[in-house]
Amino acid sequence: RKHVEEGRGWMMIRIVPMDRNHIELIAQRHLEHLRTRLHGIPGIRLLRLYYCALTDSTGGCGYTAVLDSAVAGFVCGVWSERAILTQLRRQSAATLLFWSLCQALLRPRYLVDLLGRRSRSSSENNISSGYELRPLVVAPAARGRGIARCLVLRLLKDARNRGYDAVHLYVEPDNWPAQQLYQKLGFCDMGEVQHRGT
């Protein structure tokens, strides 16, 4: 928990485990603030399915920043994408297929990218194994209050509790604010790689 001064009053930031009550807003924030090939209603539905599977799986976790009862941001940690995808298929195979087909009809490139991602995942840099921070999003209206820092620190604590001595992430080369935050929190630059086509 962290208190931040807002005008004359105080606002409380709570970092809580991600749960299904947060999923709709998290999916919307993902589409609004991250570079993604998902779009529209099918994109939101696919993201909802993914984040539901993440909250229920043994391969990842998420934390939500709640600022005066509103979702201000979120962060996820993934150490076994396979476990999350297995959970996703187990819970929602038919729904996943339906919304994936809708997304592919809206954006045919989506299907090509999805198939390409599967073939690239095995050939990516070895850094992709272990505990990965992905993604971190803070709503624009809530930025500048230390929320991103609180979320990352909570995720680092989770990684330590699970026995990981390192956490890695990917950040776009032009995302200077995120790079500065990560450097302040002890991350170091490992160089540029092409990750998932970007």
Side-chain angles (χ1 to χ4, degrees), residues 7-195:
R8 295 183 178 177
W10 288 88
M11 303 177 92
M12 186 187 315
I13 300 169
R14 291 181 300 120
I15 307 298
V16 298
M18 187 182 290
D19 67 34
R20 288 179 176 257
N21 295 327
H22 305 139
I23 299 298
E24 189 68 36
L25 272 175
I26 287 169
Q28 286 180 310
R29 297 284 183 262
H30 185 117
L31 281 184
E32 292 167 358
H33 304 295
L34 294 174
R35 293 179 186 172
T36 180
R37 290 184 172 87
L38 299 175
H39 296 280
I41 293 172
I44 285 182
R45 295 299 175 234
L46 288 169
L47 287 168
R48 278 184 61 203
L49 292 170
Y50 173 79
Y51 286 114
C52 283
L54 180 99
T55 61
D56 294 341
S57 85
T58 57
C61 67
Y63 294 95
T64 306
V66 179
L67 181 64
D68 280 356
S69 75
V71 172
F74 68 94
V75 67
C76 298
V78 173
W79 53 90
S80 175
E81 187 168 28
R82 180 173 288 159
I84 296 168
L85 294 176
T86 299
Q87 184 72 20
L88 181 57
R89 285 190 295 263
R90 187 178 300 139
Q91 284 181 340
S92 332
T95 309
L96 177 65
L97 179 62
F98 174 77
W99 288 112
S100 293
L101 289 172
C102 290
Q103 185 69 54
L105 289 172
L106 285 176
R107 301 216 179 239
R109 182 89 183 132
Y110 167 77
L111 195 55
V112 173
D113 292 337
L114 187 63
L115 294 172
R117 179 188 289 191
R118 289 186 66 103
S119 66
R120 280 192 305 270
S121 64
S122 60
S123 63
E124 283 182 347
N125 194 327
N126 284 340
I127 197 171
S128 64
S129 62
Y131 194 110
E132 181 182 348
L133 182 159
R134 70 168 182 198
L136 170 65
V137 174
V138 176
R143 291 179 185 162
R145 299 177 182 172
I147 292 172
R149 177 182 169 78
C150 290
L151 284 165
V152 173
L153 289 174
R154 180 62 188 93
L155 199 71
L156 293 175
K157 180 179 178 184
D158 180 79
R160 278 191 304 275
N161 291 344
R162 294 178 191 277
Y164 290 93
D165 59 0
V167 172
H168 69 275
L169 59 91
Y170 296 90
V171 63
E172 299 288 343
D174 60 350
N175 191 346
W176 293 106
Q179 290 179 38
Q180 290 175 333
L181 169 71
Y182 296 134
Q183 287 173 357
K184 286 179 185 175
L185 292 173
F187 287 85
C188 58
D189 189 348
M190 302 295 289
E192 288 194 22
V193 294
Q194 185 165 348
H195 183 63

